[in-house]
Amino acid sequence: MKRLLVVSAHAADFVWRAGGAIALTVAQGGKALVVALSYGERGESGELWKEPGQTLERVKAIRHQEASRAAEILGADFLPLDLGDYPLRVDEGAQERLVEVLVDFAPDVLITHTPRDPFNPDHPVAYEVTERARQLATGSGVASAFRTVRPPEFLLFEPHQPELCGFMPDLFLDITPVWEKKLAAMQVFASQGYLQRYYAERAEHRANHARRISGWPDIARAEAFQRVLPQVVRSL
Amino acid sequence: MKRLLVVSAHAADFVWRAGGAIALTVAQGGKALVVALSYGERGESGELWKEPGQTLERVKAIRHQEASRAAEILGADFLPLDLGDYPLRVDEGAQERLVEVLVDFAPDVLITHTPRDPFNPDHPVAYEVTERARQLATGSGVASAFRTVRPPEFLLFEPHQPELCGFMPDLFLDITPVWEKKLAAMQVFASQGYLQRYYAERAEHRANHARRISGWPDIARAEAFQRVLPQVVRSL
Amino acid sequence: MKRLLVVSAHAADFVWRAGGAIALTVAQGGKALVVALSYGERGESGELWKEPGQTLERVKAIRHQEASRAAEILGADFLPLDLGDYPLRVDEGAQERLVEVLVDFAPDVLITHTPRDPFNPDHPVAYEVTERARQLATGSGVASAFRTVRPPEFLLFEPHQPELCGFMPDLFLDITPVWEKKLAAMQVFASQGYLQRYYAERAEHRANHARRISGWPDIARAEAFQRVLPQVVRSL
Amino acid sequence: MKRLLVVSAHAADFVWRAGGAIALTVAQGGKALVVALSYGERGESGELWKEPGQTLERVKAIRHQEASRAAEILGADFLPLDLGDYPLRVDEGAQERLVEVLVDFAPDVLITHTPRDPFNPDHPVAYEVTERARQLATGSGVASAFRTVRPPEFLLFEPHQPELCGFMPDLFLDITPVWEKKLAAMQVFASQGYLQRYYAERAEHRANHARRISGWPDIARAEAFQRVLPQVVRSL
Amino acid sequence: MKRLLVVSAHAADFVWRAGGAIALTVAQGGKALVVALSYGERGESGELWKEPGQTLERVKAIRHQEASRAAEILGADFLPLDLGDYPLRVDEGAQERLVEVLVDFAPDVLITHTPRDPFNPDHPVAYEVTERARQLATGSGVASAFRTVRPPEFLLFEPHQPELCGFMPDLFLDITPVWEKKLAAMQVFASQGYLQRYYAERAEHRANHARRISGWPDIARAEAFQRVLPQVVRSL
Amino acid sequence: MKRLLVVSAHAADFVWRAGGAIALTVAQGGKALVVALSYGERGESGELWKEPGQTLERVKAIRHQEASRAAEILGADFLPLDLGDYPLRVDEGAQERLVEVLVDFAPDVLITHTPRDPFNPDHPVAYEVTERARQLATGSGVASAFRTVRPPEFLLFEPHQPELCGFMPDLFLDITPVWEKKLAAMQVFASQGYLQRYYAERAEHRANHARRISGWPDIARAEAFQRVLPQVVRSL
């Protein structure tokens, strides 16, 4: 019964990149929480801005509704911090807020963006704030002067241009059992048909890679992740 | 019930570096096989050569006896290939022999040396022959013209000078439950007291690192490994 | 009017990975030559070996026919060296043969496999022999005791598991104008339907990446490459 | 007819490192704009400060005059932002100013400093602000809520200590046709005779490297650059 | 007669990681200064906080006393900046203060933390401020508008989890002659028995590595460092 | 009184790249030996082959005379192994010969080519054979079954295209006191005027870099090297 925390720079990022991990964790009896640092209201809502007379508040409301619905389909709670995007800015208060979320939720697994992304100014910011929150919340593993939690596993999900982001996958997760759920969550974002198709194909490619690596013939869909920290295990 | 295959350049390498992994796998109901490419009769038997009138055959016999005994304590079968050391040379026949061993044993996990070691000319050779055997034995995962096996996980064990060998641990194995067994196996090599102490201390250091990473307070001894290939899993 | 030389470890590799580059070069008035070091008769003809009573010679003949046909569709000449696969072995004579091919054909662009591929023992061999042939054929750019040619640009094409092969694309080629030709060439390999679909989707993904990088909206299909050597230009 | 934008941390950096690229682009019918974030009035005007009674304003005025003159010789417009040096600090307003410059000028090629330079505290700042401006100005390539431009190619010019700055050239530009112009622009900075000689010799060395790579015998002077992003092309 | 400056994020870091280097430099007639950016009063004083009614001021006073005592044993001066920890924050004033210390002390050798440490949020901050102070204090080696000093050698000391911090040792210092002093300094921190043992064993391991590299049989204890900048020498 | 061994792939390589190190070591009372694996008779004697009726034996004789003369000027002994070039091939006997040379000469410092050089097929071979000889001659630092020597420091000298060879200098040697000797040795190779000028300018550039790093104003000429192994020292 794992607890999974996903930190998403914009409202929809978690669906394309970790939707399977969320749905699988929940399906296996775990609990998932999605923190959205912003709604992506400026940089990732191009379609909505084509409507005449569009306003920032309305765009944010639509994005809120969509992301909540997608999280619900996947079985996750959804916590928006509404910090603004393009550029996303995280002040000291927001940083402390995220530390509190970590300490309160006490995740076993923590997932966010890669530290580098030459096509998105906000993704690296999401990494920085998440990494810093992890360090402050776990207190280096020693008893100390403030509330801390057991250190979670720390993963990065797959970015849109993996090589340009220095993404080096070292973990493939078989999401075949929950594929229909991820598909349904992606379809919530009706105006982004291309991304649905891209990530559906990507799930098949990663499954193909995973089959070649493992020899398990039944992996039909997979998500790729990169570990930030070594894994600690009780058996090989 | 995992099957573990360890390929060791010299007769004793597997004890210091993967003795815990072997003993743990066996203790958990698995099966372990150690392949020793050479006895280390020239380059790693300095103490034995101090005896006047020493011969190559006698050194190899002593090394065989010690390594067999250590493997037995850990619960592993021991298969020496006696290919010579300093330098270790692997011809086509020996390469094919190792492919056969892989296909016959069909390991779930395969462990060997790092591809680089500036203080040992034989360790990289052991990596090369093992990596090649793995590729030929698994046939790229596709049905083909020759006998193949399901691809094993492929790990590197910790070398004596980790940084100089480019070793980057990403897997810590808690070997606390079988520590006494590893200690006993190390003590078989009576003349190498320094190494016993070095690797005993190293097991505590790696346990300390693993505790800081995982927050699990009961890890008292650990071994470090590096994955060559991504991990494929069914749940986070 | 560029001259393009592609060195392929097995008979079909060039189609999936550089079929667009070949067809485009030819369509733009250039000339292309494909050298196949082996037919991939053992490691990459799994379907053919399912037929009862199959023989090595027959498999090679079928592969020859398919690869020649694919090359013809793309507009390239096809030169098989038939050196055997799994493992591919290149002796001194074969190495010299490739040097001669380079000197005779005098390519402007040379493309082959990545130097690393943990799921294929032959691809790195193809890189090694090609890199060595390039060095010997170009004579380090100085007048010397043997026949040499002007140094070609040297590229690597995209492997099936890019990250595992250390592939870092730094060149995206728009192959939209010749996409139908690449598709037709891929369809020659009737029994490998999955690969046709994989590389068709991949071409769209790489096109999407290329559009984001360049802002050119009309790129519908692309191939990715990695330069081994710096580029030399007359204008930015 | 390319549009080239060079962002220079101090008033003279662009001359030594991209003077040839600027002059060549202009000579080929293009347009060039140099943005100088500071005048280098504190850290790179040592000679001027030897004059008794020297003032900051006077140093900046001299540097302005020199840099404008050098830009004029090369054919570029010169836009100084006067943000101060050692350390150079870029606040939100200055960051937005640079975004505006990018959107207004709409460059095809953008060049700046390397992200690392252990002997200059200001060069990495110039990289950061330029990279961020590029990301905000191109809006990730998607239609969105603010003014954007087509993504330019993004290059780094050669720093004074290339290896210490992690500079890895992958683009050599033949600047032979405009060498006299670059020489004249360098000579504007009369008090920095050493740098004139250093970069004149460097241009010959890079030309030698470029000749060996390309086999083109007529390259007599070259500049080296490193691409931050992959190249997108329509033909090999 | 070397002058050594060690910048420590927390009050005790310098003892475990550079205690030998400090004692040796002093023993050889040099001078050493330790700057502690914080007392580590929150994140590294877990034992002290177990005492009921503990206060921040009292923790800092105890840490001050211990660190001063340890520095004294090693022969170094101790300068605490008391900037706070977890997180350590360095504002412009503190940054300038460190520049002044550098210019006043004019070290031949400067040592601090690695730029990366996934288990400590303050260590990278210590690196950043030290690196920046070095650059501003040395003025890029050119005469300029402000006070500067001759550039010191710049080293990183060994972190607790070397591989996770990207630490790559390229300098082993034989600290055998001053080992007793380092031991005594470590024993000042009575409540941290584990660290005393860890770093005592580590000194033996690094000595073993150093013996294998150099062939010098008398190295019994060593410390490992990583150079940030190339070394400049008058003889091999 | 250091002993320096330089292993050169072709007869002249040692002069351009380590001539200063050799002359300086000798001037400081040390001893130097140059091993030339080949004469570079095919790939690096282009000028000589322009003479009508030229023969391989004559080219080798001229190269022998020149290289011996240059070594003499620098103060080194010269030992040619005449193994052939383009390609240089080192069989088992030649490998053992080099091990013997190492054991007999017992160098304190060992210098050779970089392991990578995309413009020279022989330089990486020289690295491989030298690295292997070092490992076999030093016997991993343990007493063993064969003659061994104390491990030397192991350096790489600067290649002609440093970045393409992955050369990362971390050691600058001030060769100002012996510059005239290096110049004279370079002038022996009368037909290679360009290289004389290139390496003369390079010595000034590296001196400039070294001055900026060290602050030592009197370095007028320098050579750059890269350490393969960590340095072991008795004082900072």
Side-chain angles (χ1 to χ4, degrees), chain D residues 160 197 201 204-205 208, chain F residues 160 197 201 204-205 208:
Chain D
H160 191 71
R197 193 170 144 220
E201 290 171 359
E204 292 186 66
H205 296 181
N208 172 258
Chain F
H160 191 71
R197 192 169 147 222
E201 289 170 359
E204 291 185 67
H205 296 180
N208 172 259

Side-chain angles (χ1 to χ4, degrees), chain A residues 5-78:
Chain A
L5 176 58
V6 179
V7 181
S8 189
H10 310 102
D13 293 335
F14 71 97
V15 181
W16 319 112
R17 292 160 183 171
I22 293 169
L24 190 70
T25 299
V26 172
Q28 291 172 345
K31 201 167 160 42
L33 171 63
V34 172
V35 173
L37 300 175
S38 82
Y39 285 114
E41 62 270 20
R42 283 166 41 91
E44 312 209 331
S45 306
E47 289 301 313
L48 299 174
W49 286 102
K50 289 178 179 166
E51 198 174 311
Q54 190 57 283
T55 68
L56 202 67
E57 282 320 299
R58 212 177 115 65
V59 168
K60 281 159 67 166
I62 294 169
R63 298 282 291 180
H64 180 93
Q65 194 177 21
E66 288 174 345
S68 304
R69 177 73 192 116
E72 191 178 71
I73 289 171
L74 299 171
D77 288 334
F78 179 70

Side-chain angles (χ1 to χ4, degrees), chain B residues 145, chain C residues 41-42 49 53-62 85:
Chain C
E41 62 270 19
R42 282 166 43 92
W49 287 102
Q54 189 56 283
T55 67
L56 202 66
E57 282 320 299
R58 210 176 116 65
V59 169
K60 282 159 66 168
I62 294 169
D85 76 325

Side-chain angles (χ1 to χ4, degrees), chain A residues 235-236, chain B residues 1-4 24-32 105-109 150:
Chain A
S235 69
L236 284 183
Chain B
M1 249 211 57
K2 292 281 180 72
R3 300 177 69 85
L4 169 62
L24 190 69
T25 299
V26 172
Q28 290 171 344
K31 201 165 160 45
F105 187 72
D108 297 292
V109 181
R150 202 170 65 74

Side-chain angles (χ1 to χ4, degrees), chain D residues 119 158 160-164 167-169 172 194 197-198 201-202 204-206 208-213, chain F residues 119 158 160-164 167-169 172 194 197-198 201-202 204-206 208-213:
Chain D
F119 280 97
E158 175 160 359
H160 191 71
Q161 300 226 42
E163 294 97 348
L164 291 187
F167 181 71
M168 186 57 59
F172 290 97
Y194 172 73
R197 193 170 144 220
Y198 181 90
E201 290 171 359
R202 202 67 186 141
E204 292 186 66
H205 296 181
R206 289 310 191 182
N208 172 258
H209 296 169
R211 283 196 305 272
R212 302 258 317 234
I213 293 167
Chain F
F119 280 96
E158 176 161 359
H160 191 71
Q161 300 226 43
E163 294 97 348
L164 290 187
F167 181 72
M168 187 56 60
F172 290 96
Y194 172 73
R197 192 169 147 222
Y198 181 90
E201 289 170 359
R202 202 69 187 139
E204 291 185 67
H205 296 180
R206 290 309 192 183
N208 172 259
H209 296 169
R211 284 196 305 273
R212 301 258 318 233
I213 293 167

